[in-house]
Amino acid sequence: MNEQQLIEAAQNGDRKALAELVKMYEQTVYNFSFKLCRNRERAEHTMQETFLSMVKNLRQFSGQSKLSTWLYRVVANHCLMLARSENRYGFSSFDDDETYIDEKEIAEWKVTPDKVAENNELKMILDESIQKLAPEYRVVFMLRDVEGLSTEETAKILDLTVPAVKSRLHRARAFLRNELNERFAHELK
């Protein structure tokens, strides 16, 4: 059966089809959960909650988007709720999405993410910087720059406007550039 047939069968109560859908998306959901939650236990919890939500709400899935898009949204919502419920303030936040950031204050970042990932030390530094992002900015950054989704897909997943996604992505990138530049400036001293 193809994915659409599996979805229809699962919506009609076929447990084997549902299990096959879970198996198809298990690794994707876990990987995205881990990238957002930055913790194995939280990622596992989020993955379980995501599939529980899928089981409970699959009948309401209309098929107007891809199932993966729908699952990304569920994961993002669970990670954001988990972050809020933990009430941790170990991240940097910004006052307002509409506030202007002066581009002159942001250092130029000529290192591409794939080059950074090639070097384990740089990857660790980038991971630490990403973890400092507020969850609302981290999820946009992860969907756009790590998962490679379009601005429109990201907006749909997060139920945001395209300008809000662009603003949050701009802020996330600016924050990360400044974090990396500051980190490297300290290491060069």
Side-chain angles (χ1 to χ4, degrees), residues 12 34 45 47 54 62 91 111 121-122 131 139 143 146 156:
N12 291 319
F34 186 81
H45 174 77
M47 182 177 73
M54 185 179 96
S62 65
F91 54 81
V111 179
E121 184 178 355
L122 290 176
Q131 195 162 352
V139 69
L143 285 168
V146 177
K156 188 173 185 176

Side-chain angles (χ1 to χ4, degrees), residues 9-67:
Q11 287 174 325
N12 291 319
D14 185 334
R15 290 178 182 251
K16 287 182 182 179
L18 184 61
E20 189 63 32
L21 287 171
V22 170
K23 185 178 176 184
M24 280 174 64
Y25 284 101
E26 183 176 31
Q27 196 62 50
T28 301
V29 167
Y30 176 79
N31 290 343
F32 187 59
S33 298
F34 186 81
K35 289 173 185 174
L36 287 180
C37 296
R38 314 306 293 174
N39 174 289
R40 186 180 56 78
E41 289 175 7
R42 282 188 255 162
E44 289 172 357
H45 174 77
T46 298
M47 182 177 73
Q48 290 172 354
E49 290 296 319
T50 298
F51 285 123
L52 184 60
S53 293
M54 185 179 96
V55 169
K56 288 180 181 177
N57 300 305
L58 189 61
R59 289 192 176 153
Q60 292 152 3
F61 176 69
S62 65
Q64 292 179 343
S65 65
K66 295 185 281 187
L67 183 61

